[in-house]
Amino acid sequence: MIALSLADVSQAVDGALHLGVGATITDVVEGSVQTDSRLIEPGSIFVAKPGAVTDGHLFAPLAAERGATLLIVERLLDLPVTQIVVADAVAALGDLAGAVVARVRAAGGLRIVGVTGSNGKTTTKNLLRSMLERVGPTVAPRGSFNNQVGAPMTMLEVTVDTRFLVIEMGASSEGAIAHLVRLARPDVGIVLTIGLAHAGEFGDLDATVRAKSEMVTDLLETDVAVLNADDPRVAQMAALTPARVVRFGEYGQVDVRASAVLSGRTGTTFTLHLASGQSATVVFPVLGEHHVMNALAAASAAEVLGVAIDDIVAALEATTRAERWRMEVLGGKDDVTVINDAYNASPDSMSAALKTLAQIGTPGRRTIAVLGEMAELGELAGEEHDRIGLLAVRLNISQIIVVGKAARRMHISTINEGSWDGESAYVDTPDEAFELLRSSVNPGDTVLVKSSNSAGLRFLGDRLGDLFS
């Protein structure tokens, strides 16, 4: 964190300052801000965040022992360390992040990009970071730090030298993105897709649209909204923002587009057309044609921020995977390809992954889809799992292995398709799936492992990758 006095921090979080032994209000803190006591180093700030399972206050003594110089707490603790008592530790974390970003922005030079959407946030964030790093110091989230805790933690990493800040903004309810937008005040807001991911939390698609549109409704006239013109629900957000709109897509009237898209086992080749009229051929190593849209979104924002087309293309061509456990290509032994895409899953991303599998399979060899639960779909879960099972049949996937009771309807849907001459198997656990695959995968087969994170199939994908490496 940038250097702030204890008085400054206390004012930023609207808390009551209780000085530790020998401390004064002018003392400066500038260590890392952590909510995990195991990550505390001498000089760190520990935020005692209440959790669903435990309470951060229980770990405050360990944080103090490890050298924390400041605790942000919801109740005063019997510890000889300076503490700021606040009403809500998570809200205080956000307020502190907002204050830090505002100070750095006021010093001049910091540009901020917010990224949201039902699918593709992390991939787009990673691509954009790679592009912006070629121009200047850039801060972006580690992994999927995109909620009311993760986003502020990313914001707190900025320094006076930071030129670009990329924030991934997820939401579990209406108002969550609006809150993050108010804290960070993006210069560029990206909306990727609107789909059924987390439909169980939002209730319906209309609520999802309202939540995601919060990215652009509070932008200023001097800001830029980057919108996916191929998604009608996103495209209509152009009418909701006062900002300048840059549209990206593969179809219709757009500012940034891809043409001559050709997808294969080693990635996708396409021609990138920027809003400036410049174009270039891109050899994009990331597997899956659907990731071209993420590349377009990142390129749109990068061009707005002054990144040259050569740097944009170089960043895309240097990216070999979307992210750990996202369309990650493993294996290779006996020409067996394992695609580990089991970090998350929604109906849209599951469909895209299956279409990619069907598209890249080696002629004369089998395509095998190992599928687990799509979580957080609420009352739509049953019909959406049915739909994915039917899609796998219609794509003529050679074999389907469904893992776990929550995903069993996919298996039932496939075997009910009497015209299908493929095979579907159901197993209860990833271990059973591994044993089945170990004895049945043939040379040249292509295996997709796809599920939500909670199903745990990403580790099955890793085991298969090791088996065939």
Side-chain angles (χ1 to χ4, degrees):
M1 187 184 75
I2 63 171
L4 294 175
S5 71
L6 290 173
D8 288 336
V9 176
S10 179
Q11 182 178 19
V13 301
D14 191 24
L17 178 61
H18 297 264
L19 295 172
V21 176
T24 69
I25 61 172
T26 59
D27 286 350
V28 171
V29 289
E30 53 184 331
S32 67
V33 180
Q34 304 291 349
T35 60
D36 185 338
S37 60
R38 296 168 296 183
L39 301 178
I40 292 293
E41 298 175 343
S44 293
I45 299 170
F46 177 66
V47 181
K49 177 180 71 70
V53 177
T54 187
D55 184 349
H57 293 77
L58 299 175
F59 300 93
L62 176 59
E65 181 181 325
R66 291 179 64 90
T69 56
L70 173 64
L71 309 179
I72 297 178
V73 296
E74 294 182 359
R75 58 180 182 272
L76 189 62
L77 303 176
D78 186 17
L79 293 169
V81 181
T82 298
Q83 301 170 51
I84 298 177
V85 180
V86 297
D88 184 323
V90 173
L93 177 66
D95 290 340
L96 179 59
V100 166
V101 168
R103 285 197 177 215
V104 174
R105 189 198 289 273
L110 180 65
R111 305 294 299 280
I112 301 174
V113 185
V115 184
T116 196
S118 297
N119 296 291
K121 293 186 296 296
T122 300
T123 301
T124 302
K125 171 262 298 182
N126 288 341
L127 294 174
L128 185 55
R129 172 174 52 195
S130 181
M131 295 171 188
L132 296 175
E133 283 177 339
R134 294 171 182 270
V135 177
T138 300
V139 170
R142 300 180 299 275
S144 295
F145 270 33
N146 62 22
N147 60 16
Q148 304 299 300
V149 173
M153 293 288 285
T154 299
M155 294 163 61
L156 286 164
E157 293 182 18
V158 301
T159 70
V160 292
D161 296 321
T162 303
R163 184 168 175 186
F164 302 107
L165 169 63
V166 182
I167 308 173
E168 185 179 333
M169 296 184 180
S172 58
S173 62
E174 292 185 59
I177 292 175
H179 173 68
L180 294 176
V181 167
R182 285 193 293 270
L183 291 179
R185 257 283 299 121
D187 301 284
V188 180
I190 303 173
V191 186
L192 299 167
T193 60
I194 301 295
L196 291 175
H198 315 298
E201 296 176 339
F202 285 107
D204 57 34
L205 271 175
D206 288 341
T208 305
V209 171
R210 290 194 297 271
K212 300 300 184 183
S213 66
E214 293 168 6
M215 174 60 77
V216 300
T217 52
D218 288 340
L219 294 179
L220 305 178
E221 291 183 1
T222 53
D223 298 330
V224 178
V226 175
L227 302 178
N228 179 358
D230 290 356
D231 185 324
R233 296 185 182 91
V234 176
Q236 70 184 12
M237 294 180 189
L240 303 178
T241 181
R244 176 167 69 89
V245 174
V246 172
R247 297 170 174 84
F248 67 92
E250 293 187 53
Y251 312 103
Q253 297 298 312
V254 294
D255 302 293
V256 178
R257 64 186 177 91
S259 67
V261 179
L262 181 62
S263 186
R265 291 167 68 89
T266 59
T268 307
T269 300
F270 64 94
T271 300
L272 171 66
H273 305 267
L274 295 179
S276 61
Q278 300 177 87
S279 62
T281 299
V282 179
V283 180
F284 189 36
V286 176
L287 190 64
E289 187 174 325
H290 54 290
H291 283 303
V292 172
M293 293 299 288
N294 300 326
L296 294 180
S300 300
E303 185 182 32
V304 167
L305 294 169
V307 182
I309 188 169
D310 289 347
D311 286 328
I312 292 172
V313 172
L316 292 174
E317 295 192 333
T319 304
T320 57
R321 68 181 184 188
E323 177 66 83
R324 182 81 166 99
W325 297 313
R326 289 176 171 89
M327 297 303 285
E328 185 175 11
V329 180
L330 306 170
K333 178 183 177 182
D334 297 328
D335 198 30
V336 172
T337 299
V338 177
I339 306 168
N340 193 354
D341 192 28
Y343 187 82
N344 56 29
S346 67
D348 290 337
S349 68
M350 186 77 84
S351 297
L354 285 171
K355 290 173 183 176
T356 297
L357 176 64
Q359 188 175 39
I360 69 170
T362 302
R365 300 296 184 179
R366 296 185 306 162
T367 51
I368 302 171
V370 185
L371 307 177
E373 179 190 13
M374 299 179 291
E376 300 178 356
L377 293 178
E379 62 182 19
L380 298 174
E383 63 186 82
E384 290 302 323
H385 282 85
D386 288 345
R387 189 175 67 81
I388 292 300
L390 294 176
L391 176 63
V393 172
R394 290 164 186 166
L395 290 171
N396 201 30
I397 303 300
S398 305
Q399 182 175 20
I400 299 168
I401 299 174
V402 177
V403 186
K405 291 182 174 62
R408 193 168 184 270
R409 283 185 63 159
M410 283 191 282
H411 170 64
I412 300 302
S413 296
T414 61
I415 63 177
N416 284 340
E417 288 292 290
S419 62
W420 188 46
D421 62 358
E423 299 176 1
S424 181
Y426 169 78
V427 295
D428 284 317
T429 68
D431 286 342
E432 292 176 81
F434 179 78
E435 293 303 323
L436 177 58
L437 288 157
R438 180 162 63 175
S439 63
S440 63
V441 171
N442 299 321
D445 287 350
T446 303
V447 183
L448 167 71
V449 182
K450 179 69 174 172
S451 73
S452 286
N453 195 7
S454 57
L457 296 198
R458 63 194 187 281
F459 304 118
L460 170 62
D462 286 343
R463 291 178 69 189
L464 292 171
D466 291 340
L467 179 64
F468 294 107
S469 64

PDB file of all heavy atoms in Angstrom, residues 25 36 52 73 83 132 135 151 203 226 238 241 281 297 303 315 346 354 360 410 421 427:
ATOM      1  N   ILE A  25      -0.318   9.302  15.948  1.00  0.00           N
ATOM      2  CA  ILE A  25      -1.213   9.391  14.799  1.00  0.00           C
ATOM      3  C   ILE A  25      -0.468   9.743  13.518  1.00  0.00           C
ATOM      4  O   ILE A  25      -0.990   9.545  12.415  1.00  0.00           O
ATOM      5  CB  ILE A  25      -2.337  10.417  15.029  1.00  0.00           C
ATOM      6  CG1 ILE A  25      -1.772  11.822  15.252  1.00  0.00           C
ATOM      7  CG2 ILE A  25      -3.212   9.999  16.194  1.00  0.00           C
ATOM      8  CD1 ILE A  25      -2.856  12.894  15.285  1.00  0.00           C
ATOM      9  N   ASP A  36      -5.722 -12.483   5.327  1.00  0.00           N
ATOM     10  CA  ASP A  36      -5.252 -13.809   5.721  1.00  0.00           C
ATOM     11  C   ASP A  36      -4.026 -13.631   6.612  1.00  0.00           C
ATOM     12  O   ASP A  36      -2.986 -13.143   6.157  1.00  0.00           O
ATOM     13  CB  ASP A  36      -4.903 -14.618   4.470  1.00  0.00           C
ATOM     14  CG  ASP A  36      -4.525 -16.065   4.767  1.00  0.00           C
ATOM     15  OD1 ASP A  36      -4.123 -16.352   5.911  1.00  0.00           O
ATOM     16  OD2 ASP A  36      -4.624 -16.907   3.849  1.00  0.00           O
ATOM     17  N   ALA A  52     -17.822 -16.712   6.482  1.00  0.00           N
ATOM     18  CA  ALA A  52     -18.966 -17.615   6.566  1.00  0.00           C
ATOM     19  C   ALA A  52     -18.693 -18.770   7.530  1.00  0.00           C
ATOM     20  O   ALA A  52     -19.609 -19.300   8.152  1.00  0.00           O
ATOM     21  CB  ALA A  52     -19.296 -18.161   5.177  1.00  0.00           C
ATOM     22  N   VAL A  73     -10.456  -3.681  12.741  1.00  0.00           N
ATOM     23  CA  VAL A  73     -11.299  -4.650  13.445  1.00  0.00           C
ATOM     24  C   VAL A  73     -12.698  -4.081  13.648  1.00  0.00           C
ATOM     25  O   VAL A  73     -12.928  -2.874  13.514  1.00  0.00           O
ATOM     26  CB  VAL A  73     -10.686  -5.017  14.817  1.00  0.00           C
ATOM     27  CG1 VAL A  73      -9.353  -5.730  14.636  1.00  0.00           C
ATOM     28  CG2 VAL A  73     -10.489  -3.756  15.673  1.00  0.00           C
ATOM     29  N   GLN A  83      -5.015  -0.287  16.598  1.00  0.00           N
ATOM     30  CA  GLN A  83      -6.232  -0.827  15.996  1.00  0.00           C
ATOM     31  C   GLN A  83      -7.151   0.310  15.575  1.00  0.00           C
ATOM     32  O   GLN A  83      -7.200   1.359  16.225  1.00  0.00           O
ATOM     33  CB  GLN A  83      -6.983  -1.727  16.988  1.00  0.00           C
ATOM     34  CG  GLN A  83      -6.151  -2.907  17.471  1.00  0.00           C
ATOM     35  CD  GLN A  83      -6.811  -3.655  18.621  1.00  0.00           C
ATOM     36  OE1 GLN A  83      -7.987  -4.038  18.527  1.00  0.00           O
ATOM     37  NE2 GLN A  83      -6.073  -3.873  19.697  1.00  0.00           N
ATOM     38  N   LEU A 132      -1.163  -3.919 -21.640  1.00  0.00           N
ATOM     39  CA  LEU A 132      -0.833  -2.671 -20.968  1.00  0.00           C
ATOM     40  C   LEU A 132       0.567  -2.684 -20.369  1.00  0.00           C
ATOM     41  O   LEU A 132       1.242  -1.645 -20.307  1.00  0.00           O
ATOM     42  CB  LEU A 132      -1.869  -2.385 -19.873  1.00  0.00           C
ATOM     43  CG  LEU A 132      -3.303  -2.151 -20.368  1.00  0.00           C
ATOM     44  CD1 LEU A 132      -4.256  -2.004 -19.187  1.00  0.00           C
ATOM     45  CD2 LEU A 132      -3.381  -0.932 -21.276  1.00  0.00           C
ATOM     46  N   VAL A 135       3.341  -1.041 -22.120  1.00  0.00           N
ATOM     47  CA  VAL A 135       3.359   0.417 -22.169  1.00  0.00           C
ATOM     48  C   VAL A 135       3.823   1.021 -20.846  1.00  0.00           C
ATOM     49  O   VAL A 135       4.543   2.021 -20.822  1.00  0.00           O
ATOM     50  CB  VAL A 135       1.956   0.947 -22.533  1.00  0.00           C
ATOM     51  CG1 VAL A 135       1.927   2.474 -22.509  1.00  0.00           C
ATOM     52  CG2 VAL A 135       1.531   0.425 -23.899  1.00  0.00           C
ATOM     53  N   ALA A 151     -11.504  -7.350  -5.221  1.00  0.00           N
ATOM     54  CA  ALA A 151     -11.265  -6.142  -6.015  1.00  0.00           C
ATOM     55  C   ALA A 151     -10.540  -5.057  -5.211  1.00  0.00           C
ATOM     56  O   ALA A 151      -9.544  -4.483  -5.681  1.00  0.00           O
ATOM     57  CB  ALA A 151     -12.579  -5.614  -6.589  1.00  0.00           C
ATOM     58  N   GLY A 203     -31.511 -14.578  -9.704  1.00  0.00           N
ATOM     59  CA  GLY A 203     -32.934 -14.861  -9.836  1.00  0.00           C
ATOM     60  C   GLY A 203     -33.362 -15.038 -11.270  1.00  0.00           C
ATOM     61  O   GLY A 203     -34.058 -15.988 -11.604  1.00  0.00           O
ATOM     62  N   VAL A 226     -16.884  -0.137 -23.330  1.00  0.00           N
ATOM     63  CA  VAL A 226     -16.533  -1.131 -24.340  1.00  0.00           C
ATOM     64  C   VAL A 226     -17.554  -2.263 -24.246  1.00  0.00           C
ATOM     65  O   VAL A 226     -17.607  -2.976 -23.235  1.00  0.00           O
ATOM     66  CB  VAL A 226     -15.101  -1.655 -24.130  1.00  0.00           C
ATOM     67  CG1 VAL A 226     -14.790  -2.792 -25.112  1.00  0.00           C
ATOM     68  CG2 VAL A 226     -14.089  -0.526 -24.279  1.00  0.00           C
ATOM     69  N   ALA A 238     -25.656   0.478 -24.483  1.00  0.00           N
ATOM     70  CA  ALA A 238     -25.179   1.730 -25.082  1.00  0.00           C
ATOM     71  C   ALA A 238     -26.131   2.872 -24.781  1.00  0.00           C
ATOM     72  O   ALA A 238     -25.722   4.033 -24.676  1.00  0.00           O
ATOM     73  CB  ALA A 238     -25.017   1.552 -26.591  1.00  0.00           C
ATOM     74  N   THR A 241     -25.594   4.608 -20.969  1.00  0.00           N
ATOM     75  CA  THR A 241     -24.378   5.269 -20.497  1.00  0.00           C
ATOM     76  C   THR A 241     -24.147   6.593 -21.210  1.00  0.00           C
ATOM     77  O   THR A 241     -24.398   6.714 -22.414  1.00  0.00           O
ATOM     78  CB  THR A 241     -23.153   4.350 -20.709  1.00  0.00           C
ATOM     79  OG1 THR A 241     -21.982   5.008 -20.225  1.00  0.00           O
ATOM     80  CG2 THR A 241     -22.965   3.980 -22.181  1.00  0.00           C
ATOM     81  N   THR A 281      -2.905  -9.616 -38.801  1.00  0.00           N
ATOM     82  CA  THR A 281      -3.173 -11.038 -38.580  1.00  0.00           C
ATOM     83  C   THR A 281      -2.649 -11.442 -37.208  1.00  0.00           C
ATOM     84  O   THR A 281      -1.548 -11.052 -36.810  1.00  0.00           O
ATOM     85  CB  THR A 281      -2.496 -11.887 -39.662  1.00  0.00           C
ATOM     86  OG1 THR A 281      -3.029 -11.521 -40.935  1.00  0.00           O
ATOM     87  CG2 THR A 281      -2.738 -13.372 -39.422  1.00  0.00           C
ATOM     88  N   ALA A 297     -12.263  -7.669 -26.876  1.00  0.00           N
ATOM     89  CA  ALA A 297     -12.579  -6.760 -25.771  1.00  0.00           C
ATOM     90  C   ALA A 297     -11.306  -6.123 -25.228  1.00  0.00           C
ATOM     91  O   ALA A 297     -11.236  -4.901 -25.008  1.00  0.00           O
ATOM     92  CB  ALA A 297     -13.308  -7.515 -24.665  1.00  0.00           C
ATOM     93  N   GLU A 303      -6.534  -0.161 -27.139  1.00  0.00           N
ATOM     94  CA  GLU A 303      -6.404   0.913 -28.133  1.00  0.00           C
ATOM     95  C   GLU A 303      -6.885   2.237 -27.553  1.00  0.00           C
ATOM     96  O   GLU A 303      -6.261   3.281 -27.767  1.00  0.00           O
ATOM     97  CB  GLU A 303      -7.178   0.573 -29.400  1.00  0.00           C
ATOM     98  CG  GLU A 303      -6.949   1.621 -30.497  1.00  0.00           C
ATOM     99  CD  GLU A 303      -7.733   1.363 -31.765  1.00  0.00           C
ATOM    100  OE1 GLU A 303      -8.849   0.815 -31.678  1.00  0.00           O
ATOM    101  OE2 GLU A 303      -7.245   1.725 -32.844  1.00  0.00           O
ATOM    102  N   ALA A 315       1.103  -9.149 -27.572  1.00  0.00           N
ATOM    103  CA  ALA A 315       0.562  -9.670 -26.312  1.00  0.00           C
ATOM    104  C   ALA A 315      -0.345 -10.871 -26.559  1.00  0.00           C
ATOM    105  O   ALA A 315      -0.283 -11.874 -25.835  1.00  0.00           O
ATOM    106  CB  ALA A 315      -0.195  -8.568 -25.575  1.00  0.00           C
ATOM    107  N   SER A 346     -20.665 -22.435 -16.859  1.00  0.00           N
ATOM    108  CA  SER A 346     -22.026 -21.937 -17.001  1.00  0.00           C
ATOM    109  C   SER A 346     -22.567 -22.574 -18.269  1.00  0.00           C
ATOM    110  O   SER A 346     -21.818 -23.173 -19.042  1.00  0.00           O
ATOM    111  CB  SER A 346     -22.029 -20.411 -17.131  1.00  0.00           C
ATOM    112  OG  SER A 346     -21.414 -20.033 -18.359  1.00  0.00           O
ATOM    113  N   LEU A 354     -17.724 -27.452 -25.460  1.00  0.00           N
ATOM    114  CA  LEU A 354     -18.130 -28.632 -26.228  1.00  0.00           C
ATOM    115  C   LEU A 354     -18.000 -28.384 -27.733  1.00  0.00           C
ATOM    116  O   LEU A 354     -17.573 -29.268 -28.485  1.00  0.00           O
ATOM    117  CB  LEU A 354     -19.562 -29.020 -25.877  1.00  0.00           C
ATOM    118  CG  LEU A 354     -19.758 -29.709 -24.519  1.00  0.00           C
ATOM    119  CD1 LEU A 354     -21.234 -29.831 -24.196  1.00  0.00           C
ATOM    120  CD2 LEU A 354     -19.094 -31.084 -24.491  1.00  0.00           C
ATOM    121  N   ILE A 360     -12.123 -29.429 -32.894  1.00  0.00           N
ATOM    122  CA  ILE A 360     -10.684 -29.683 -32.976  1.00  0.00           C
ATOM    123  C   ILE A 360     -10.319 -31.157 -32.910  1.00  0.00           C
ATOM    124  O   ILE A 360      -9.140 -31.507 -33.020  1.00  0.00           O
ATOM    125  CB  ILE A 360      -9.923 -28.939 -31.862  1.00  0.00           C
ATOM    126  CG1 ILE A 360     -10.238 -29.549 -30.497  1.00  0.00           C
ATOM    127  CG2 ILE A 360     -10.229 -27.451 -31.907  1.00  0.00           C
ATOM    128  CD1 ILE A 360      -9.349 -29.031 -29.394  1.00  0.00           C
ATOM    129  N   MET A 410     -27.422 -34.734 -17.121  1.00  0.00           N
ATOM    130  CA  MET A 410     -26.760 -34.710 -18.427  1.00  0.00           C
ATOM    131  C   MET A 410     -26.647 -36.119 -18.991  1.00  0.00           C
ATOM    132  O   MET A 410     -26.857 -36.355 -20.185  1.00  0.00           O
ATOM    133  CB  MET A 410     -25.376 -34.061 -18.324  1.00  0.00           C
ATOM    134  CG  MET A 410     -25.412 -32.545 -18.221  1.00  0.00           C
ATOM    135  SD  MET A 410     -23.788 -31.764 -18.430  1.00  0.00           S
ATOM    136  CE  MET A 410     -23.058 -32.038 -16.834  1.00  0.00           C
ATOM    137  N   ASP A 421     -25.369 -42.788 -31.530  1.00  0.00           N
ATOM    138  CA  ASP A 421     -24.621 -44.042 -31.495  1.00  0.00           C
ATOM    139  C   ASP A 421     -23.358 -43.926 -30.644  1.00  0.00           C
ATOM    140  O   ASP A 421     -22.490 -44.787 -30.680  1.00  0.00           O
ATOM    141  CB  ASP A 421     -24.262 -44.510 -32.911  1.00  0.00           C
ATOM    142  CG  ASP A 421     -23.369 -43.511 -33.643  1.00  0.00           C
ATOM    143  OD1 ASP A 421     -23.066 -42.452 -33.054  1.00  0.00           O
ATOM    144  OD2 ASP A 421     -22.991 -43.798 -34.787  1.00  0.00           O
ATOM    145  N   VAL A 427     -20.487 -41.750 -13.389  1.00  0.00           N
ATOM    146  CA  VAL A 427     -19.745 -42.174 -12.204  1.00  0.00           C
ATOM    147  C   VAL A 427     -19.988 -41.166 -11.096  1.00  0.00           C
ATOM    148  O   VAL A 427     -20.305 -39.997 -11.350  1.00  0.00           O
ATOM    149  CB  VAL A 427     -18.230 -42.305 -12.479  1.00  0.00           C
ATOM    150  CG1 VAL A 427     -17.953 -43.416 -13.492  1.00  0.00           C
ATOM    151  CG2 VAL A 427     -17.645 -40.989 -12.976  1.00  0.00           C
TER     152      VAL A 427
END
